[in-house]
Every structure is written in structure tokens, then in C-alpha cells.
Amino acid sequence: MAGRSWIEEWDPEDEAFWRDTGAGVARRNLAFSVLSEHIGFSVWTLWSVMVLFMGPEYGIDPAGKFFLVSMATLVGAFVRVPYTFAVALFGGRNWTVIAASLLLVPSVAAFVVMEPGTSYGTFLLCAALTGVGGGNFASSMTNINSFFPLRKKGWALGLNAGGGNVGVPVIQLIALAVIGAGGGPRVLLGVYIPLVVVAALCAALFMDNLATVRNDTGAAGAAVRDVHTWIMSFLYIGTFGSFIGYSFAFGLVLQTQFGRTPLQAAGVTFVGPLLGSLIRPVGGRLADRFGGARITLWTFVAMAAATGVVALASVRSSLALFTGAFIVVFVLSGLGNGSTYKMIPGIFHAKALGKGLTGEAAAAYGRRLSGASMGLIGAVGALGGLGINLAFRQSFQRAGTGTGAFVSFLAFYALCCAVTWAVYLRGAAGRTVAATGAGTKPQLSYAEV
């Protein structure tokens, strides 16, 4: 792709290089990566808003609406894997232009079909197409991971992801304004189609490709075989899976269980995703300072407690308690998103030290493996959103409330607590990453990752 040339030399771990050259370039790429990912998240969660416009004239029951949003989540999860490796194949800037441009397909398709009388299968297809927006996260995070030094990855990845996640509440806020003004779904889409074009143009004009990032099938295979890739995928189901699953489902739950009108639901739905998005960089920053494993553990403890309150409010049909506790869960999921993603490069850097690597060799190993694993972890984590929406669908079909689903979520968070403690924190004080003596093999400790 013609345009901005590739950067051939890139060593962010070199403090002089970072101070004189790297920081400015990395921050510029981060800013426009956030813009593209932000629009991607908005398009991905488009149908969480569309279902609020779909009254009785569309002939779709609540279970059918939950399945619609589940389809978007499912496709968004699977496309994250190829999107991860597309960065090294095409270049970070080049792929961001392509990925942003692809968002026109689901946006225009929804604009064409969004009216009563359209078949349910057509709606399902259009919802599936929005999954390309979910892929933007994986390519964006993989790209930005390569620009920043390890000591700043928590904040940078948290800011990148948090800025993208804000796309969820922003589209919900715009939908609130459209509904409040008496407009229809095509008005909302008329706002977003030009924004997609702007995101693609900005990526083309202001981002860079890193020649030091190359597709490495060996790294991909190593990431697949590494047990920590799958452990972190499991934990990311608990954090990001919760965030995206609840983002899709919150408005529908308010409508279905508490009888809220579309305007009333839209007036509340955006609050949780907004706060959860804004706090994600804080989770990364706390992980930089105190260790991602510690922050992640206490986040899951708090998520379990807050979910217990949500389940209680559901049983008592207390709208105020339900809404307040649900928003707290959103905030905690955002905090955990930042801390879990900070753990990924830290874990692989620790493994490099455990192999006896030091300096740039250790940093390069960590970047190589963490970049390859991020797409897999992001994909599996997003599947947690699918599980949440299917759990709600089943719970409402069987009992007419979401209580059963919330009880299952609480149990899952308890399991996440146990896994985080057992793998990354148990006995951490007695282990060290450094060699304990001459000829002694280094021992791994993940408590600080």
C-alpha cells in the first residue's frame, strides 16, 4: 500500500531512542489507533442499540433479540484471530486502513434492511457482519503492543483498549439522542457511516508500519502451545467477556425484566459501558505499579460480590439496586480488562528471563510471544460475551428473569479468583525471577506481571 514508509529500526526499550524518537511516534500511532478501534467497537455493538428500536411490528421476541446480539459477539470473537496476524502481514498502518474501511459493509447493510417486514435471517446476517468491528480490537492491541516499552505497556494498552471500549457507550448515547428526538435507526447509521470514512483516512495519513514486526508462524505455534495463553484466555472471559456481554445485553434486560421503554433503557444503558471503558487505563496503570495478578485477583473478588447483589436485586425486582449494582460490575470488569492485558507481556517477559535471556533479547522474546498470544486471548475472551447473552436467553426462556444467569456468572467469577491465585500468586513470595546462585536455573515468579 502506497503512502507512509515503513519504520525499519524500532527499539523502545532503549531509553535514549524512546526519549528522542520513539515516544512521539508511539503516541501518535496510539491516538489514531484509538480512533479506529473506537469506531470499530461502536459498529460491533450496533445491534445492542438496534434491538431497542425493534418494537412489536418487527415480530421478534426477547429470545430472538438476544440471539441477534449473540451472533455479532460470536463473529467478532472469531475474526480476532486473523486480525491479530494481519498486522505483521500487511503492516499496522495498512491493516488499520483496511479494517476501518471494512466497517462500511455492516453499516451500509444495516441502513438498507432496517425496517419492519425484513426477514429474521436477514437481520441475523447483518448482525454477523458487524463482527468485523470486534476484530479491530485484536489488530489494534497487537500493533500498539509493538510500539511501547514493557514498562509502559499497561498504561498504553489500557488507554488503547479503553478508548476503543468507549465506542460502546458513545453509540448508545447517540442512540439515546436519536430516540429522544423521535428519529429512527437510519438516522443513527447516517451519523456513523461518515465517521468510518474519517477513521480510515486518519489511519492512512497519520499512522506508521513497523518493519520489525513480521508474521512469525513459529511464534503463533508457540503461543498456542503455551499454557499461559489459555489460562489468560480463561481470565479474559471473566473480564472482557463480562464487559462486552453486558454491553450487548443490559438494555434488553431492562426492557424485558423491568418493563423499561426504549428511551428509558437507552437513558441508563450507556452508563456502565462508559465507566467501564474509562477505568480500563486505570486498571493498566495499577497493574504497572502493583502487579497485574494482584489487581486481577481482587477485581474478581469484587465482581463476584457485586454480582451477588445484582442477583438479589433481580429476585426482589428492585430496579434501583439492580441498576446500581450492575453498573458496579461494569466498572470492575473495565478495571480487570486493564490488569489482565498488562499481565500478558509481563508473563512472557518473565518466561524469557527464566530461559536465561536478558536485555533486548528478553524484551524481543516477550514482544514476539505476547503479540502472537493477544489475538487468541482476545478471541476467547470475546466468546465470554456470547456465553453471557446465551445464558440470558436461556434464563428468560425458562424463568422469565435473568436471576439464573447471574447466579452462574457469580460462580464463574469465583472460579476465576481461584485460578488467578493458584497460578500467579500462590507462594509468590518464595519465588524469584533472578538466579539464586551461580549455575542455578532461574525460577519464575508471575506475581509482579
Side-chain angles (χ1 to χ4, degrees):
M1 185 177 290
R4 183 177 293 276
S5 61
W6 291 65
I7 297 175
E8 298 293 336
E9 300 288 336
W10 190 259
D11 184 8
E13 302 299 339
D14 182 326
E15 293 191 10
F17 171 83
W18 178 254
R19 181 183 62 251
D20 297 337
T21 304
V25 174
R27 289 167 187 155
R28 172 166 46 77
N29 279 270
L30 174 61
F32 292 101
S33 175
V34 167
L35 174 62
S36 177
E37 189 188 342
H38 176 95
I39 303 300
F41 261 95
S42 292
V43 172
W44 188 24
T45 54
L46 177 65
W47 284 88
S48 72
V49 171
M50 288 300 187
V51 293
L52 299 181
F53 289 97
M54 300 171 78
E57 67 275 14
Y58 283 84
I60 302 175
D61 64 9
K65 292 179 181 179
F66 276 116
F67 195 69
L68 268 179
V69 299
S70 297
M71 182 61 68
T73 313
L74 175 65
V75 175
F78 278 107
V79 300
R80 286 183 167 199
V81 176
Y83 268 57
T84 297
F85 302 112
V87 169
L89 183 62
F90 295 97
R93 163 200 172 266
N94 294 349
W95 181 251
T96 303
V97 174
I98 295 169
S101 301
L102 285 173
L103 299 174
L104 288 171
V105 177
S107 303
V108 172
F111 187 91
V112 172
V113 308
M114 194 62 192
E115 59 186 18
T118 300
S119 70
Y120 185 69
T122 302
F123 285 134
L124 275 178
L125 175 61
C126 289
L129 289 173
T130 62
V132 297
N136 281 23
F137 172 85
S139 56
S140 179
M141 294 294 275
T142 299
N143 186 39
I144 294 304
N145 180 60
S146 301
F147 275 96
F148 283 83
L150 181 65
R151 65 186 181 278
K152 294 185 178 293
K153 284 185 190 291
W155 174 248
L157 292 174
L159 194 62
N160 187 58
N165 291 170
V166 171
V168 179
V170 167
I171 196 172
Q172 292 170 342
L173 272 170
I174 295 175
L176 172 62
V178 171
I179 294 172
R186 286 193 170 108
V187 175
L188 176 67
L189 291 163
V191 172
Y192 267 90
I193 291 172
L195 292 178
V196 170
V197 176
V198 169
L201 286 175
C202 286
L205 293 172
F206 303 115
M207 292 186 71
D208 302 287
N209 299 305
L210 289 181
T212 53
V213 178
R214 297 294 185 197
N215 247 338
D216 184 347
T217 54
V224 170
R225 292 189 299 271
D226 196 292
V227 66
H228 289 287
T229 298
W230 302 108
I231 294 171
M232 291 307 301
S233 296
F234 178 80
L235 298 181
Y236 204 54
I237 288 174
T239 57
F240 181 75
S242 296
F243 174 85
I244 198 64
Y246 294 149
S247 295
F248 275 99
F250 193 18
L252 267 178
V253 172
L254 290 174
Q255 278 191 311
T256 305
Q257 184 165 342
F258 291 94
R260 300 290 89 185
T261 66
L263 183 60
Q264 289 170 331
V268 173
T269 299
F270 75 92
V271 178
L274 176 62
L275 296 177
S277 301
L278 293 177
I279 204 169
R280 181 163 184 159
V282 177
R285 178 60 63 85
L286 289 173
D288 284 338
R289 182 173 180 182
F290 300 107
R294 293 190 182 95
I295 301 301
T296 298
L297 174 65
W298 288 109
T299 297
F300 278 130
V301 170
M303 287 178 72
T307 303
V309 176
V310 172
L312 178 63
S314 179
V315 170
R316 295 185 175 181
S317 299
S318 172
L319 176 61
L321 182 61
F322 180 88
T323 303
F326 211 139
I327 290 172
V328 170
V329 175
F330 264 114
V331 172
L332 292 167
S333 71
L335 195 72
N337 284 337
S339 64
T340 50
Y341 242 74
K342 167 58 174 68
M343 290 173 69
I344 299 167
I347 287 168
F348 288 107
H349 186 73
K351 292 197 72 170
L353 298 178
K355 290 176 178 290
L357 300 176
T358 58
E360 174 56 23
Y365 178 94
R367 285 197 300 270
R368 175 175 175 262
L369 271 295
S370 62
S373 68
M374 279 182 175
L376 295 171
I377 293 169
V380 177
L383 284 174
L386 171 67
I388 280 177
N389 281 283
L390 291 179
F392 277 129
R393 180 177 184 269
Q394 188 70 13
S395 184
F396 279 104
Q397 274 190 327
R398 287 191 171 185
T401 76
T403 304
F406 289 118
V407 171
S408 66
F409 303 153
L410 191 161
F412 183 77
Y413 298 145
L415 184 57
C416 288
C417 288
V419 170
T420 304
W421 176 81
V423 177
Y424 298 113
L425 291 170
R426 183 178 58 179
R431 292 177 293 179
T432 178
V433 178
T436 55
T440 303
K441 185 178 180 180
Q443 294 178 301
L444 290 179
S445 173
Y446 296 106
E448 306 299 328
V449 299

